[in-house]
Amino acid sequence: MNYRHAFHAGNFADVLKHAVLAQCLRHLKKKDKPFRYIDTHAGIGAYDLTSGEAERSPEWRNGIAKVIAADKPPAVADALAPLLDIVGAMNAGALSRYPGSPEIAARMARELDRIQLCEWHEADAKSLDKRYVRDARVKVERRDGYKALPALVPPREKRGLVLVDPPFEHRDEMAHMAEAVRSALPKWPTGTWIIWRPLKDLWASERFDVGLAEWLFEEELATPEKLLRADLWVRDLESEGKLAGAGIVIVNPPFTLEAQLLALLPWLSETLAQGEGAGWRLDGCATDDSLSVEEF
Ligand SMILES: C[S@@+](CC[C@H](N)C(=O)[O-])C[C@H]1O[C@@H](n2cnc3c(N)ncnc32)[C@H](O)[C@@H]1O
């Protein structure tokens, strides 16, 4: 396990994922009833952008730093507001701290809500535990998030959100992720599920998305309007080097999310472009063959 999220904290992929996460949590808070947040791959909770790792690979400068500095039309500002409110609260002066998904959940959850965090890396799990040891709403477990997931759902609260955000260190990560989702989602088909994947091996991600959609529809676990896919790429996806694109598949998104993403994605792709061929996609993981990876 070599993956360290500190190298990537606040990059374009984090901004999209965390903007969506914060919007979904905001929606869950509209009802008085408690919700549960489950993070299968939690990381350390928050990141110091001046640390050795973040300085060596300052991806955040091409991500959250540009997002903060740019002019935002009202619809974009609205879509980013829950995330940027948290980033603002963590940074009194210059940008030096960025929230991970656990911190976004911890800052948005109410007294009655519950947060369940799985992190398998020993040192990261310890950091996470230390960070939230005094927060009675948060439970940190050093566990394999994939194995834990089927046992964690459905939560007692019956409402809530699962974030599946693996490091994609291993070639078969997509298959592991699909297996974990398939073993857990049928136990909690009404939860909101945010599933992150890189756009590296485009066939693998397309197979994952379309396979998930077809399975959900066949098993009558979701209807097409309950599935949303949001992808962002900051340069040509075929280009060499660092990650060029990533995105999320959301099962049971809040009904307001599609319109927010329709405003946010084109703005992000323009604002965060790192060269030729930046782009975005928002759809429902279409299962017909006419949508293929050639469309990227
Ligand atoms: C992409 S990072 C998570 C980032 C975090 N969700 C966020 O948005 O701030 C992936 C994390 O998963 C951890 N990890 C790797 N394999 C795992 C497993 N099988 N179960 C739980 N955590 C794992 C890594 O140590 C790493 O901290």
Side-chain angles (χ1 to χ4, degrees):
M1 292 187 42
N2 297 317
Y3 181 89
R4 315 275 65 207
H5 195 66
F7 287 106
H8 312 290
N11 70 2
F12 75 91
D14 256 12
V15 170
L16 173 59
K17 171 181 65 188
H18 292 152
V20 167
L21 171 63
Q23 282 294 352
C24 291
L25 291 170
R26 179 159 88 167
H27 187 78
L28 282 166
K29 285 167 64 175
K30 287 189 175 153
K31 283 197 180 146
D32 290 337
K33 290 190 176 150
F35 68 77
R36 172 130 354 173
Y37 171 71
I38 298 168
D39 204 325
T40 58
H41 296 71
I44 59 170
Y47 297 88
D48 177 359
L49 300 176
T50 64
S51 73
E53 291 110 319
E55 273 304 332
R56 259 177 27 230
S57 176
E59 295 183 19
W60 59 275
R61 291 191 193 277
N62 280 326
I64 188 65
K66 283 190 177 164
V67 165
I68 290 172
D71 282 338
K72 295 172 233 1
V76 171
D78 182 55
L80 289 169
L83 172 62
L84 293 189
D85 284 353
I86 292 171
V87 177
M90 291 172 71
N91 292 280
L95 178 64
S96 63
R97 307 273 304 151
Y98 183 77
S101 47
E103 187 67 12
I104 292 169
R107 285 180 181 253
M108 293 188 74
R110 302 155 299 183
E111 205 56 49
L112 66 167
D113 303 320
R114 294 291 174 265
I115 296 174
Q116 186 116 29
L117 308 174
C118 296
E119 170 54 52
W120 186 229
H121 190 281
E122 194 171 357
D124 288 359
K126 268 192 192 143
S127 304
L128 200 58
D129 199 33
K130 197 169 154 204
R131 183 168 188 88
Y132 298 111
V133 69
R134 278 186 238 289
D135 190 334
R137 304 166 307 165
V138 182
K139 187 170 182 192
V140 175
E141 289 183 282
R142 190 188 163 229
R143 265 174 107 169
D144 179 339
Y146 290 137
K147 289 206 180 116
L149 187 54
L152 298 179
V153 294
R156 198 173 342 121
E157 294 78 10
K158 301 276 189 286
R159 315 173 57 236
L161 193 162
V162 178
L163 174 65
V164 184
D165 184 21
F168 282 87
E169 272 183 305
H170 304 294
R171 284 172 61 102
D172 50 2
E173 190 96 54
M174 206 77 84
H176 275 145
M177 186 163 85
E179 200 185 314
V181 170
R182 282 178 187 230
S183 62
L185 195 146
K187 297 170 112 182
W188 196 27
T190 55
T192 295
W193 296 69
I194 301 178
I195 304 163
W196 186 90
R197 75 275 178 284
L199 298 176
K200 247 191 228 162
D201 176 344
L202 302 185
W203 283 111
S205 54
E206 191 69 11
R207 249 197 337 264
F208 173 83
D209 299 354
V210 173
L212 177 71
E214 287 180 347
W215 171 73
L216 286 170
F217 304 156
E218 268 166 35
E219 299 292 319
E220 298 185 358
L221 293 164
T223 49
E225 58 281 4
K226 299 282 183 178
L227 198 57
L228 203 56
R229 166 167 70 173
D231 286 327
L232 173 69
W233 50 101
V234 291
R235 54 176 193 284
D236 189 339
L237 280 168
E238 306 286 345
S239 61
E240 298 287 316
K242 285 191 173 175
L243 185 68
I248 45 190
V249 176
I250 310 139
V251 184
N252 295 317
F255 68 96
T256 43
L257 190 66
E258 186 172 359
Q260 285 165 336
L261 284 169
L262 213 46
L264 181 61
L265 283 165
W267 184 86
L268 281 178
S269 91
E270 203 180 312
T271 306
L272 303 184
Q274 295 174 21
E276 293 289 302
W280 60 280
R281 165 173 78 168
L282 181 65
D283 65 18
C285 301
T287 55
D288 77 77
D289 289 336
S290 62
L291 184 88
S292 68
V293 286
E294 272 87 35
E295 290 206 21
F296 274 97

